[in-house]
């Protein structure tokens, strides 16, 4: 029955499983095959909910075979277009866009069969079935996987079998991507056109919502209101992270109300409609807090993909709250419909999360460099300037922002003589910035904990000039430790704050790490900064000894010091 009702969904599920198993069996070092399979897997992940939506719509509207094939052909064309828009080796932007499309595709399943039909109860009953089938399929798949996993390990233990493939991962892929799909599809309502007349409600959902979710919502509502009162009393802007708390609270509250939506007019359950209205009224002050929190974050650090998305959700939440307060009908279909449009809309075009974030971060980078007169007439980084620690941190953060996304080339116009390759470009940019800026730190900004790392590139750390030395050792320590090689002994004492070097039993030199880090803190502040490499060098040149400690990083946490680097020596 399932194969007859959803043939194309099952074909896509089989294709998805095949690609994922090939991907699991392909080494990540295979640069020719692995990226291609990764792109193909992303396409199949998207194809599954989209194909399900198409088949549900075709079934509900009783499309003939030619129209069904035309819809599937259009869908295949869109998926092919998505495949060719992915980078040859997918980067962060590709995965982020994929996530937005996946959200939109799953939301589409929830309302697509009911577009054009005035059936709010049928819509709710259908989504209840989707939720319960997802939970049931996950329970069945999890139980089956654990049972088979025990069997696989038992055979390995009893018969000393070495499987020639990643059987645990392959089983996981097969069960959670094919068996899970079959169980999920098997419980979908066979006649969507009859759901509007159904009046049943799952008692477990009502009990869970009424006695678990809603009380928790009230608790968090009180916490957020007390925090709002604290803001008014102290007359200070809220922390930027409060936006995420308000968003999580709002989503949980809306979900709770959706779970008990059909009961709002039932005898003895009128409190649900009353609670719904009070909930949306209570949301309004928190939405103001939401806006202030996220836009403070954007003002301080600029727009990133996450902040753009959260700001967009702030406007959506305001709109949906006002709708439920003003509207007499409370049509819950608007929730997934508007979220689906937003998910797809902000993933493409010049207004997308990626385009807007890139432009904003690049503009902030140029503005900060210009503010401190670090650009010459050709708009290239030049000179030297004292920069507040906050601006210093932001400039390095922007370089890393583009580096993580494989888009360092965007900042290339501001630098001279950069290497190729995103990782090398990012490292070179950081070095040039560190050498062009000296950080100003207010005494109040100092902390008892700090961390510093060398601005040396990784390649440079492993090609150190050792012509004046005869040996090189890797040296790491936490608190008090000891390293012994070739009659040399390097110890850290006083909880790691002092580094002592012995030749046999003779103390050759004692380096005061704590004093050095305190001096760096006065210059760089307490945040984790990359510093000039020589600032983390310790030298001792007194015949017959030549000693050097080249630190990659050094930290203080409480009263304990830790670090790592290279010890070079010569007698």
């Amino acid at each position: 029955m399932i194969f007859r009702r959803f043939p194309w969904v099952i074909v896509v599920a089989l294709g998805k499983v095949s690609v994922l198993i090939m991907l699991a069996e392909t080494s990540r070092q295979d640069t020719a095959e692995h990226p291609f399979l990764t792109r193909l897997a992303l396409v199949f992940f998207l194809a599954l909910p989209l194909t399900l939506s198409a088949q549900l719509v075709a079934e509900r509207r009783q499309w003939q075979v030619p129209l069904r094939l035309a819809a599937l052909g259009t869908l295949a064309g869109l998926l092919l277009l998505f495949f060719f828009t992915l980078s040859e080796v997918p980067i962060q932007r590709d995965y982020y866009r994929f996530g937005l499309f996946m959200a939109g595709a799953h939301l589409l399943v929830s309302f697509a069969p009911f577009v054009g039909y005035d059936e709010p109860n049928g819509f709710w009953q259908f989504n209840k079935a989707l939720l319960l089938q997802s939970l049931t399929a996950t329970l069945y798949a999890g139980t089956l996987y654990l049972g088979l996993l025990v069997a696989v390990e038992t055979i390995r233990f009893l018969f000393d079998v070495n499987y020639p493939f990643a059987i645990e991962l392959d089983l996981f892929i097969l069960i959670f991507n094919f068996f899970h799909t079959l169980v999920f599809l098997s419980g979908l309502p066979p006649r969507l056109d009859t759901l509007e007349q159904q009046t049943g409600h799952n008692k477990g959902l009502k009990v869970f919502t009424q006695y678990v979710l809603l009380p928790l919502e009230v608790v968090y509502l009180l916490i957020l209101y007390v925090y709002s009162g604290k803001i008014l009393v102290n007359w200070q802007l809220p922390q930027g992270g409060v936006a995420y708390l308000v968003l999580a609270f709002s989503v949980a509250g809306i979900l709770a109300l959706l779970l008990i939506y059909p009961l709002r007019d039932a005898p003895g359950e009128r409190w649900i409609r009353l609670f719904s209205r009070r909930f949306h009224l209570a949301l309004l002050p928190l939405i103001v807090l939401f806006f202030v929190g996220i836009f403070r974050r954007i003002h301080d650090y600029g727009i990133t993909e996450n902040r753009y998305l959260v700001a967009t959700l702030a406007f959506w939440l305001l709109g949906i709250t006002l709708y439920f307060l003003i509207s007499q009908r409370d049509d819950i279909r608007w929730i997934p419909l508007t979220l689906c449009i937003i998910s797809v809309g902000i993933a493409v075009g010049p207004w997308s999360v990626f385009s807007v974030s890139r432009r904003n971060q690049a503009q902030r980078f140029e503005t900060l460099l210009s503010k401190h007169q670090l650009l010459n007439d050709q708009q290239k980084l030049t000179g030297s300037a004292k920069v507040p620690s906050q601006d210093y941190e932001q400039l390095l953060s922007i370089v890393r922002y583009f580096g993580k996304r494989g888009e360092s080339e965007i900042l290339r116009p501001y630098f001279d003589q950069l290497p190729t390759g995103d990782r090398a470009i990012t490292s070179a940019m950081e070095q040039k910035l560190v050498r062009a800026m000296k950080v100003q730190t207010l005494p109040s900004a100092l902390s008892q904990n700090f961390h510093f790392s060398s601005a040396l590139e990784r390649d440079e750390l492993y090609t150190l000039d050792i012509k004046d030395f005869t040996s090189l050792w890797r040296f790491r320590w936490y608190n008090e430790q000891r390293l012994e090689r070739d009659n040399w002994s390097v110890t850290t004492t006083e909880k790691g704050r002092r580094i002592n070097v012995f030749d046999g039993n003779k103390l050759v030199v004692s380096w005061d790490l704590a004093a050095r880090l305190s001096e760096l803190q006065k210059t760089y502040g307490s945040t984790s900064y990359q510093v000039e490499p020589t600032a983390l060098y310790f030298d001792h040149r007194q015949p017959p000894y030549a000693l050097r400690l080249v630190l990659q990083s050094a930290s203080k946490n409480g009263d304990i010091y830790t670090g790592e680097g290279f010890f070079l020596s010569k007698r």
Side-chain angles (χ1 to χ4, degrees), residues 181-200:
T181 301
L182 292 181
V183 175
F184 173 77
L185 294 175
S186 67
L188 294 186
R191 291 286 304 275
L192 301 186
D193 55 341
T194 63
L195 294 179
E196 182 66 16
Q197 284 72 47
Q198 289 188 12
T199 56

Side-chain angles (χ1 to χ4, degrees), residues 27-39:
S27 170
R28 287 187 176 274
Q29 280 70 43
D30 187 350
T31 56
E33 192 173 349
H34 196 275
F36 172 79
L37 290 173
T38 301
R39 295 159 68 199

Side-chain angles (χ1 to χ4, degrees), residues 340-356:
C340 179
I341 293 172
I342 288 172
S343 296
V344 177
I346 64 175
V348 294
W351 55 81
S352 70
V353 292
F354 319 105
S355 299
V356 174

Side-chain angles (χ1 to χ4, degrees), residues 225-266:
Y225 264 86
V226 171
Y227 178 69
S228 301
K230 175 188 172 185
I231 291 170
L232 292 175
V233 170
N234 295 335
W235 200 245
Q236 63 181 13
L237 289 173
Q239 298 179 16
V242 74
Y244 298 94
L245 297 176
V246 175
L247 179 60
F249 164 78
S250 304
V251 169
I254 292 173
L255 175 62
L257 292 175
L258 288 176
L259 289 175
I260 52 177
Y261 173 77
L263 299 176
R264 69 197 188 287
D265 293 323

